[in-house]
Amino acid sequence: MATNIEIEPGAALESALVTTESYENFQEMSSSLEEIKNSNFIPSTTDEYLDNCNNLDNDIHLNCSITSTNSKDEEYLQDEEWLSKSKHVFVLSSAGKPIYSRYGNEDRFASYFGIMQALVSFVQADDDSIRSIHAGDTKFVFLFKEPLILVAVSKTEECTLQLTAQLNYVFNQIASTLTLSRLVKIYEQRRNYDLRRLLTGVDRFIDNLLDFSENEPAFTLSAVQCLPLTSSIRDAISAAIIQSCSKIKNVVFGILLAKNQLITLVRMKKYYIHPHDLHLIFNLVQASESFKTVESCWAPICLPRFDSSGFLYGHVSYLAEDCQACLILLTVEGDAFSSLSEAKQRIVERLRRGSCLEAINESLASREESCMEVGFPELRHYIYKSKSTAQFYQPHISAPYSINSRRLVNIYKQAHYKLHCPTRPLKLLFERTPQDAILAWDTRGFELYAVLEPLIETSSAISTVGRLLNWIKKREDKLFHLNAPTF
Amino acid sequence: MLTDVKKIIVAKALILGDQGVGKTSLVLRYLEHEINGTVAPTVGASFFPCSISIGDTLVKLQIWDTAGQERFKSMAPLFYRNSNAALLVFDLTRYESFLNVKEWIVELNRNIDEPIVAFIVGSKTDLFKERQVSKDEAVKYSNHIGAKYYECSALYNQRVEEVFHNVALEMIKLQGDLTLTKTMNVCDGVSVNNSIEVNTIDYGTVIITGSSKENIAHGIKVNNACCFN
């Protein structure tokens, strides 16, 4: 067993992340919060707080008036810029009320939302559900998750499954700000509720999430990338977090990240974080520039895959002026801010003493080596995902993709789709176009996507990939977070 | 530098108000002396520690800048506990935000067990042309509830400093008036330590009700509530 696992680079016996299939059903949710709370005494204030959350009486008086006229709708239909966007995303309530539009003011084309709602409910009347409409190069993808309808209108090359996955992320982002339980409850009480009242400011997170999911392989792969650090440094950082939080009850996750890369993740025994939830945290940090100006922030965060019914509280802060890594300590206790603040101070002191801050800065400042630089001239770029740890590694993007990285992203997305196509998944793919060649390989332990020179021989492509796997194996300690430390 | 500090007071100040009235801008202007472009909406609540020295006293103000969005409203009670000052900010160009200050006052009254000093701050004086709340009305209301009233502009840095300076002054007064207030940490001497002490222990102090039902300012408590139920 042990030897078997050592074969794949970046594999580990235990992972801090839940490992998943890419297009799995997003429905499944767990309810870990109750468990944690039940195992400990809950102060009464938490209950009161939850009561307050559920109290919607205050919401009745203000209703946003929707001022839409046909002439205004037509304005958008004729707006070339609006029409030329490659991907529109809309969110509406199951009653057809507009909630979000990626571009433009959703009030201005309220009638479109009516059409979307009609399409969904028409098909639903036959106990069926509409998934997509294909019209020329445009795809209309629908996702109906009570109580919301999400629609993507896309001219990109992404497949229906990838678009549905993005809509799921949008849904999870909304659930993350309100909790799914509350969302459902709101609409149970008032079907016509205008959800935008509760979502002010969330547009920014959804906008960012969509850009993020279009450009980052992490989303397609359901995995995260780690900041390269020697394993002794990474262990020292994990130890600093564990020791500093050891006396604090109910800290569920301690996450340190920088530049969209994970530095370490410490978890409570028995609990794992799902990559989708971790992506929401990355998104939160990335979209909140304001965290940088603040000493620390205390924010309720619902991780829908962890527990969609309640909030965790996040102590969010950057480590120091001279180290722009962001520390997130998640707990179930609403009043633990001060003890976590103290813990954070201790963590920073420990990291400073152990010269870990310098190590983080050094890694942040240094550019990843390109394939050429490490001796793979025929290899242009690659992504390696270790399945057992839900982590991936990619080198620096170099020519010819440095200018058009979108093209590279598309190559990966299509190869990923071909490996995971539900009707006919492939294990190995080698495809050559006049511009590039791709070799994609799905094994039990890893997925590898290698983009090569278009004129390469198949045999040398295979030998390159073999050498590459050895190269990654030698560096796995540095490129992956192989321990799964716990509090 | 700290040699002539004789007394250190640690106090917690809460900033409340509608979304977009400029709560974060106010704090950032005071602490950083500049604001780069628009300030993103606050998520949850942000914590800013700052120290203000007045005479021989150093006031360590722990500023809690809360998010104004409605979905975070239910989170506010987490911060009421042990607060010594509340800055209720409204936008002078939005009458509704002024009305909501009154709601915050009611909300505060319902939730606090300790005396708290209230400050009402009208923001965005720079947009004087679009002003919807008259000074008279704001002053009248502030006097009525016994709160101090200020108008300022975070954009042009007008009277921002004054607001926080006065908060510090009032904290010194409050500490002098009410030695009973256990939530305010007072240390004598020069031992300035850097640790953050946000939550001092709440001993469940009960202060006997004052005269006016609406007055929560200047250490007069409204409800005879007892902590540790």
Side-chain angles (χ1 to χ4, degrees):
Chain A
M1 171 83 191
T3 49
N4 197 3
I5 271 174
E6 276 166 18
I7 294 169
E8 295 110 21
L13 278 168
E14 194 166 20
S15 164
L17 286 160
V18 180
T19 53
T20 60
E21 285 307 314
S22 305
Y23 298 123
E24 61 171 317
N25 190 348
F26 280 73
Q27 300 289 353
E28 63 180 80
M29 309 263 176
S30 55
S31 52
S32 316
L33 275 174
E34 272 306 302
E35 262 177 67
I36 298 171
K37 279 184 182 161
N38 285 341
S39 66
N40 287 290
F41 167 68
I42 333 160
S44 60
T45 49
T46 318
D47 287 338
E48 279 162 30
Y49 169 60
L50 286 175
D51 285 345
N52 281 334
C53 280
N54 295 332
N55 185 359
L56 290 172
D57 294 347
N58 307 341
D59 295 345
I60 294 163
H61 50 278
L62 268 157
N63 250 330
C64 281
S65 58
I66 296 170
T67 50
S68 82
T69 60
N70 281 334
S71 63
K72 275 183 184 166
D73 283 6
E74 275 154 25
E75 251 171 56
Y76 266 112
L77 265 179
Q78 280 157 15
D79 185 340
E80 296 250 331
E81 205 203 318
W82 192 78
L83 289 171
S84 68
K85 300 286 183 198
S86 66
K87 193 195 288 166
H88 283 277
V89 174
F90 307 101
V91 182
L92 52 146
S93 72
S94 50
K97 280 236 177 196
I99 294 170
Y100 168 84
S101 165
R102 190 178 186 187
Y103 305 105
N105 178 354
E106 60 277 0
D107 277 341
R108 307 261 310 267
F109 40 95
S111 59
Y112 292 5
F113 286 98
I115 298 169
M116 294 180 231
Q117 194 264 343
L119 282 168
V120 170
S121 58
F122 178 74
V123 179
Q124 201 195 13
D126 292 338
D127 274 338
D128 209 340
S129 63
I130 185 167
R131 287 200 193 154
S132 60
I133 300 173
H134 301 254
D137 61 350
T138 309
K139 293 185 192 80
F140 300 76
V141 178
F142 296 83
L143 177 69
F144 180 35
K145 287 185 92 163
E146 271 302 349
L148 305 181
I149 296 170
L150 301 99
V151 184
V153 180
S154 162
K155 289 179 212 146
T156 64
E157 289 167 62
E158 289 157 309
C159 66
T160 317
L161 277 174
Q162 283 159 349
L163 293 167
T164 311
Q166 285 171 6
L167 293 179
N168 257 307
Y169 266 111
V170 174
F171 183 85
N172 282 359
Q173 177 68 61
I174 293 172
S176 165
T177 30
L178 295 175
T179 74
L180 185 60
S181 318
R182 189 177 181 201
L183 188 64
V184 170
K185 199 163 180 179
I186 288 168
Y187 283 107
E188 270 170 14
Q189 292 177 346
R190 292 185 40 231
R191 239 175 81 76
N192 251 331
Y193 189 77
D194 188 348
L195 196 67
R196 283 173 299 177
R197 285 197 58 207
L198 287 176
L199 291 181
T200 38
V202 179
D203 319 27
R204 212 163 41 97
F205 292 108
I206 302 177
D207 291 345
N208 197 71
L209 184 74
L210 286 169
D211 294 343
F212 206 16
S213 66
E214 278 174 6
N215 301 320
E216 279 284 322
F219 284 77
T220 320
L221 295 169
S222 275
V224 291
Q225 187 170 4
C226 290
L227 184 76
L229 284 174
T230 54
S231 60
S232 59
I233 292 285
R234 208 187 297 279
D235 290 346
I237 297 171
S238 310
I241 296 176
I242 294 167
Q243 284 160 16
S244 309
C245 296
S246 62
K247 293 210 177 81
I248 304 165
K249 247 189 357 184
N250 291 346
V251 182
V252 193
F253 298 113
I255 302 162
L256 188 63
L257 54 92
K259 265 206 328 208
N260 287 327
Q261 296 181 340
L262 185 69
I263 295 173
T264 189
L265 170 61
V266 185
R267 65 193 173 85
M268 195 184 237
K269 269 191 202 82
K270 260 175 54 193
Y271 297 99
Y272 299 88
I273 197 163
H274 195 285
H276 295 155
D277 283 344
L278 198 53
H279 290 152
L280 291 180
I281 293 175
F282 276 70
N283 185 55
L284 174 77
V285 172
Q286 199 194 36
S288 309
E289 275 294 303
S290 58
F291 287 163
K292 286 185 184 164
T293 52
V294 166
E295 157 93 15
S296 50
C297 169
W298 189 236
I301 302 167
C302 166
L303 299 178
R305 298 302 303 261
F306 178 72
D307 190 329
S308 60
S309 68
F311 284 117
L312 288 172
Y313 293 88
H315 181 281
V316 187
S317 60
Y318 279 83
L319 282 185
E321 288 274 309
D322 58 339
C323 184
Q324 289 295 299
C326 187
L327 177 73
I328 299 112
L329 299 170
L330 290 164
T331 172
V332 293
E333 309 287 350
D335 53 3
F337 178 85
S338 56
S339 49
L340 290 179
S341 277
E342 285 161 20
K344 189 242 168 163
Q345 302 286 355
R346 289 195 295 270
I347 291 170
V348 175
E349 279 162 32
R350 284 200 167 98
L351 294 183
R352 221 177 260 291
R353 251 183 280 137
S355 311
C356 295
L357 296 184
E358 286 99 319
I360 293 171
N361 282 335
E362 205 175 292
S363 180
L364 281 173
S366 67
R367 182 176 65 81
E368 281 300 291
E369 293 157 308
S370 66
C371 303
M372 183 80 90
E373 287 159 340
V374 293
F376 296 99
E378 62 287 355
L379 188 62
R380 287 176 173 178
H381 194 260
Y382 66 90
I383 294 180
Y384 174 89
K385 175 191 169 184
S386 156
K387 283 186 176 175
S388 64
T389 49
Q391 293 171 24
F392 75 96
Y393 175 75
Q394 58 174 343
H396 179 73
I397 295 180
S398 55
Y401 305 108
S402 13
I403 310 160
N404 188 0
S405 62
R406 185 57 74 90
R407 192 170 121 222
L408 187 64
V409 171
N410 271 334
I411 294 173
Y412 285 133
K413 277 192 175 161
Q414 285 178 21
H416 183 268
Y417 172 62
K418 283 170 186 154
L419 292 192
H420 297 90
C421 169
T423 47
R424 212 170 142 204
L426 300 175
K427 284 286 160 211
L428 186 68
L429 164 80
F430 184 75
E431 215 177 3
R432 208 196 295 268
T433 67
Q435 289 82 36
D436 20 49
I438 173 127
L439 190 148
W441 189 13
D442 182 16
T443 72
R444 216 159 51 93
F446 66 84
E447 283 169 36
L448 177 73
Y449 303 86
V451 179
L452 302 131
E453 293 293 332
L455 296 174
I456 194 167
E457 298 277 331
T458 332
S459 56
S460 64
I462 289 168
S463 76
T464 301
V465 163
R467 276 199 300 134
L468 177 65
L469 288 174
N470 278 329
W471 186 89
I472 299 171
K473 178 74 191 164
K474 276 189 207 135
R475 284 158 189 78
E476 62 173 358
D477 281 346
K478 196 176 170 205
L479 306 181
F480 299 96
H481 184 14
L482 297 177
N483 297 325
T486 54
F487 286 117
Chain B
M1 188 184 123
L2 292 166
T3 43
D4 40 353
V5 174
K6 289 225 178 82
K7 199 158 68 176
I8 297 160
I9 293 178
V10 181
K12 181 172 162 186
L14 199 59
I15 305 186
L16 299 166
D18 270 17
Q19 59 176 321
V21 296
K23 297 180 291 297
T24 306
S25 297
L26 189 71
V27 185
L28 285 182
R29 170 59 84 188
Y30 177 67
L31 293 176
E32 316 241 313
H33 302 286
E34 59 179 308
I35 301 165
N36 298 325
T38 52
V39 175
T42 306
V43 179
S46 306
F47 174 71
F48 297 91
C50 80
S51 297
I52 304 168
S53 66
I54 293 170
D56 60 356
T57 309
L58 184 71
V59 180
K60 288 190 150 193
L61 213 52
Q62 298 167 340
I63 303 173
W64 275 101
D65 172 29
T66 63
Q69 285 133 9
E70 184 166 328
R71 65 173 181 281
F72 293 115
K73 220 166 183 172
S74 45
M75 204 183 159
L78 287 176
F79 303 105
Y80 294 149
R81 211 173 134 237
N82 298 347
S83 289
N84 308 107
L87 278 81
L88 298 130
V89 186
F90 69 95
D91 181 345
L92 285 166
T93 67
R94 265 169 46 211
Y95 194 77
E96 197 196 326
S97 68
F98 176 63
L99 289 179
N100 284 329
V101 163
K102 300 184 181 180
E103 284 192 21
W104 278 113
I105 291 283
V106 176
E107 171 83 9
L108 266 177
N109 272 333
R110 213 185 307 140
N111 284 286
I112 52 161
D113 303 321
E114 295 273 337
I116 192 166
V117 188
F119 298 84
I120 301 208
V121 182
S123 67
K124 308 190 189 175
T125 48
D126 42 279
L127 298 173
F128 53 90
K129 282 183 188 148
E130 295 158 44
R131 189 168 173 136
Q132 286 184 4
V133 185
S134 74
K135 193 165 187 167
D136 274 359
E137 188 177 0
V139 169
K140 217 169 136 193
Y141 174 69
S142 306
N143 286 340
H144 175 60
I145 62 155
K148 297 218 162 194
Y149 178 67
Y150 300 92
E151 282 182 5
C152 65
S153 161
L155 184 67
Y156 293 140
N157 199 5
Q158 282 160 354
R159 304 192 65 191
V160 175
E161 188 114 20
E162 190 185 330
V163 173
F164 289 93
H165 187 81
N166 279 305
V167 173
L169 269 179
E170 288 298 323
M171 290 302 100
I172 297 172
K173 253 198 236 164
L174 179 66
Q175 187 270 321
D177 289 355
L178 285 152
T179 41
L180 264 175
T181 315
K182 296 260 175 41
T183 51
M184 198 178 276
N185 245 10
V186 186
C187 333
D188 290 310
V190 287
S191 58
V192 187
N193 65 4
N194 286 321
S195 71
I196 303 179
E197 306 153 63
V198 183
N199 266 344
T200 47
I201 303 151
D202 188 344
Y203 293 102
T205 323
V206 178
I207 294 145
I208 307 307
T209 314
S211 50
S212 159
K213 259 278 169 208
E214 284 196 281
N215 198 339
I216 59 161
H218 298 285
I220 302 166
K221 213 190 67 72
V222 180
N223 299 321
N224 264 341
C226 194
C227 306
F228 279 148
N229 291 328

